[in-house]
Amino acid sequence: MAEAERIIGTPDTPDDGGERAAAAGTSAGPDASGPSGAGEPATPAQRRTGRGRRIAVLFAVAAFAYALDLISKLLVVAKLEHHEPIRLVGDLLELHAIRNPGAAFGFGAAFTVIFTLIAAAVIVVIIRLARKLYSFPWAIALGLLLGGALGNLTDRIFRAPGVFEGEVVDFIAPQGFAVFNLADSAIVCGGILIVLLSFRGLDPDGTVHKD
């Protein structure tokens, strides 16, 4: 969250990434150079085009993750709920439909409304970050987070027992682990990717820094 606030709080100027990299003595991302790739500064138009492509990637990944989660839950409710679990890999993995009032993997069942507000806040932060996005890896990571958050938020709003208190449909049940869904998987994968990008020093605006 501190990373998001730092990027959001920077001035929204076309040369922002290049100036930060120059001031820090580090290299800017691929959008900081011109089409020749010889270190020439990118024009404002080139940076706007690059940002537009990365925003498109973010929302395409989010839409794909959201669609997979939504379709899978519709099938689970229609075909699996109130039926015996389906074994996929012996006793190691099965499909077992449950309704989860808590957070991912069944934690915090008493705080459904709070988790709904957190999911909504995450979506708002990601959309705000999109205006500073010049990195393809960050676009993928944020897209996974956005798609997963939207998937579970849809359940919170439209499923029983009521608006903002709806129970999430979970169905992936590994042996000895909590039951989860594809939205949870997207959120975890996006979070892991963000941690890896942070360790590498890559910021959402495409600059690279060294602590």
Side-chain angles (χ1 to χ4, degrees), residues 170-184:
D170 289 336
F171 58 92
I172 304 173
Q175 184 181 32
F177 195 71
V179 185
F180 59 96
N181 56 44
L182 295 182
D184 297 332

Side-chain angles (χ1 to χ4, degrees), residues 8-9 14 17 21 25 30-31 43 50 56 60 105 127 132 136 156 174 177 183 186-187 193 197 201 206 208:
I8 291 173
D31 291 313
T43 65
F105 310 116
I127 292 174
K132 290 289 182 181
F136 272 120
R156 300 293 186 199
F177 195 71
I187 291 171
L193 182 54
L197 294 173
V208 179

